[in-house]
Amino acid sequence: GFKENYALLKKLAGTDIQIICSLHGPVLLSDLGYYLGLYDTWSKYEPESKGVVIAYASVYGHTANAMEILSCRLREKGMKVKVYDVSVTPASDIISAVFKYSHLVAASTTYNAGIFVRMEEFLNDLAAHNIQNRRSVSCAAFTMSFCPLIHP
């Protein structure tokens, strides 16, 4: 895990590393200082840069529309923004962006009186990665099944 990587990086500090052969990526032969810096950042669960990841699940398009509006407003304020539909984007792509950026918005419609299935899967995967040190916001639309009928 990341804690073990952080401990290993501390032990290797000052060592002249010539090559990095990770099991989860390419063999690295150059710019090793840059990559070691990234490993150090990731091992401490710090974001690489300031920005917002918006992950949403939308059934009828309304949540998607709201998140596109939000992304436009954030970009107008100079923020880097990545927007993902959890129904079509692999969770690994979204989680990679979550590791990179400092803020997360998770927005979902509800479905069958619960959170939409694809968003629930994404959030479970996100929790398994133990993401930390991020500002996050979650929002959901409520199903009509919870709304009381009001008659005048």
Side-chain angles (χ1 to χ4, degrees), residues 77-92:
K77 294 188 177 293
M79 293 292 292
K80 294 179 195 172
V81 180
K82 296 289 184 178
V83 181
Y84 299 96
D85 179 346
V86 299
S87 296
V88 297
T89 308
S92 60

Side-chain angles (χ1 to χ4, degrees), residues 107-127:
S108 179
T109 187
T110 52
Y111 185 76
N112 284 339
I115 192 167
F116 189 64
V117 176
R118 298 295 174 250
M119 178 57 78
E120 184 176 16
E121 291 169 353
F122 167 69
L123 292 175
N124 287 335
D125 200 6
L126 189 66

Side-chain angles (χ1 to χ4, degrees), residues 8 20 28 39 41 50 52-53 56-57 63-65 69-71 90 103-104 112 116 120 129 140 146 150 152:
L8 179 60
I20 297 175
L28 303 173
Y39 276 109
T41 298
K50 187 174 181 180
V52 180
V53 174
Y56 70 86
T63 305
N65 185 49
I69 292 169
L70 175 62
S71 71
H103 295 72
L104 170 65
N112 284 339
F116 189 64
E120 184 176 16
H129 283 83
F146 289 116
I150 301 173

Side-chain angles (χ1 to χ4, degrees), residues 25-120:
V27 173
L28 303 173
L29 301 168
S30 60
D31 295 323
L32 299 184
Y34 169 76
Y35 293 111
L36 288 170
L38 286 177
Y39 276 109
D40 182 54
T41 298
W42 298 331
S43 72
K44 295 183 283 188
Y45 290 95
E46 294 175 350
E48 294 174 39
S49 61
K50 187 174 181 180
V52 180
V53 174
I54 298 174
Y56 70 86
S58 188
V59 175
Y60 302 110
H62 304 296
T63 305
N65 185 49
M67 293 304 101
E68 286 299 328
I69 292 169
L70 175 62
S71 71
C72 288
R73 298 296 184 267
L74 292 170
R75 286 184 183 110
E76 287 170 0
K77 294 188 177 293
M79 293 292 292
K80 294 179 195 172
V81 180
K82 296 289 184 178
V83 181
Y84 299 96
D85 179 346
V86 299
S87 296
V88 297
T89 308
S92 60
D93 291 352
I94 305 170
I95 289 170
S96 177
V98 171
F99 268 99
K100 182 174 184 173
Y101 292 111
S102 56
H103 295 72
L104 170 65
V105 174
S108 179
T109 187
T110 52
Y111 185 76
N112 284 339
I115 192 167
F116 189 64
V117 176
R118 298 295 174 250
M119 178 57 78
E120 184 176 16

